[in-house]
Amino acid sequence: MLLTVWMGAYNHESFIAKAIEGVLMQQTDFDVEIVIGEDCSTDSTRRIILDYNDKYPGKFKLLLPNENMGIIPMFKATYPMCTGKYVAWLEGDDYWTDQLKLQKQVDFLEAHTDFVMCFHNVSILDQIQHTTYIKDPPKYMNPNGSLSVSHFCFYNPVATSSVVYRNILPEVLPSWFYEVLYPDLAFYFLLVEKGRIQYINDVMGVYRIHRDGEWSGKSKYTNFLQLSQFYKKIGSVFSGKYKKLINKNSTWYTNELLMASLEENEFTTARQCLKNILMHDPGYIKLNKSRFFKLGLWLYLGIRPKM
C-alpha cells in the first residue's frame, strides 16, 4: 500500500461523513487505505463509520475499543496500523476540498527524497464566531518554503489535516513521546530530525474551530498550561543548538500562561510563571522591566496595577 490515511474520531457525528467523503473523492494513481480509531463515542460516530465500512469493503482498517482510550493511547494503538509508504493525517472533524491533494503531496515527496513531510494551507471554518478565513502561511520558514528543526522551536505552523509524511519512524516511538500532550507536534520534531519539511501554499482542506475541538474547546489558560509543559518536556529531550531555541519559546508560552492565569485568577500558577521566567530567562524580564515590575507588585503585594 502506497498511502495510509490515518484518522481519529470521537463524538464527530456532525463531521465524520464529510471527512470520509473527502478521502473517498481523492483522484490518485495509487491505492489508498483508511485507518480509523473510533474512541467509543457517545453519539452516532461509530455507526456512521461502520456504514462506510460496509459500503466499501476492504477500504478501511478500524480500531473500535469497548471503552474510551483517550488521545495518547489511541495514537499509540493505531500508529502501527499505518503501513503505507506515506501517511496522511485527517481528524474526524476536518475535511479535504481538493481531489488531487494526496496526488500532489505524494508526487512532491517521490520527487524530493530529502524531504520527510509536506503540508499545505487550509481554510479555517470558525463555527463559534461564524467566520471563514484562510490560515496564514508559517511565520518562520526558508525562502523556498522548507522548514527545519529550528522553525518548529517557536510554534506549530501545521494544520494536522494537511500533513503527508514519509513513514520512516520506528514502530516503537521513544517513551517520552507518550508523556506529552501534543503527539502531532512531538511527531514533527521526530520527523524533522531526519529531513526537511515543505510547505505548499495551496488551500486543500478545511480546519474546523468548534466548542468540542481539542484546542478550541479548552480555555486559553488550559491550552497555554499544556503548551508550556510540552516545550519544557521537549527542551529536556532535545539538546545542542536547538535547546536554546526551545527554551526561548518556552519562555514565550510561560509568559502567555502568566497572562491567562491572571485573567482567570489562577494566582498560584501566575506566581510560578513569573518565578520561572526570572530564573530561566532574566533577559526577557529586562526587556519588559516596567510591565513585570507591576506584575510583581500585583502578585506578591496584592496591589492591582493598571496594565
Side-chain angles (χ1 to χ4, degrees), residues 3-155:
L3 185 136
T4 300
V5 176
W6 185 9
M7 299 180 64
Y10 177 71
N11 285 355
H12 288 157
E13 65 177 358
S14 300
F15 315 124
I16 190 65
K18 197 170 185 70
I20 293 174
E21 289 291 343
V23 180
L24 296 175
M25 76 173 184
Q26 292 297 303
Q27 298 177 4
T28 63
D29 60 12
F30 50 83
D31 291 333
V32 174
E33 66 175 1
I34 306 172
V35 169
I36 304 181
E38 196 291 308
D39 204 6
C40 206
S41 298
T42 59
D43 60 15
S44 61
T45 300
R46 181 169 294 192
R47 178 186 59 77
I48 296 169
I49 292 170
L50 288 172
D51 286 346
Y52 274 100
N53 186 56
D54 292 340
K55 189 175 180 180
Y56 297 92
K59 188 71 172 176
F60 295 86
K61 292 162 63 176
L62 304 180
L63 179 65
L64 307 172
N66 294 323
E67 296 181 355
N68 180 265
M69 298 174 65
I71 294 174
I72 303 300
M74 178 58 78
F75 188 107
K76 188 174 185 178
T78 52
Y79 170 62
M81 296 170 63
C82 302
T83 57
K85 179 181 178 181
Y86 301 105
V87 178
W89 277 350
L90 178 61
E91 293 300 323
D93 52 352
D94 298 329
Y95 61 96
W96 298 334
T97 55
D98 189 331
Q99 294 178 325
L100 297 176
K101 168 201 150 63
L102 292 180
Q103 188 69 57
K104 291 177 183 177
Q105 291 183 268
V106 167
D107 285 348
F108 175 84
L109 292 172
E110 288 279 270
H112 301 83
T113 56
D114 54 329
F115 281 78
V116 293
M117 183 182 113
C118 59
F119 68 102
H120 56 78
N121 206 349
V122 296
S123 175
I124 309 294
L125 176 57
D126 189 332
Q127 297 183 192
I128 299 175
Q129 300 298 326
H130 305 290
T131 59
T132 302
Y133 55 94
I134 303 301
K135 181 177 172 65
D136 291 332
K139 294 179 182 177
Y140 310 107
M141 60 182 175
N142 296 319
N144 64 355
S146 67
L147 294 86
S148 59
V149 174
S150 61
H151 298 115
F152 284 86
C153 292
F154 292 101
Y155 83 119

Side-chain angles (χ1 to χ4, degrees), residues 251-252 255 258-259 274 277 281-296 307:
T251 296
W252 186 88
N255 177 63
L258 168 61
M259 304 312 296
L274 190 59
I277 295 173
D281 198 352
Y284 192 83
I285 300 283
K286 290 179 181 177
L287 288 174
N288 303 273
K289 192 174 356 181
S290 173
R291 177 166 167 265
F292 278 102
F293 177 73
K294 292 177 183 178
L295 286 173
M307 299 302 292

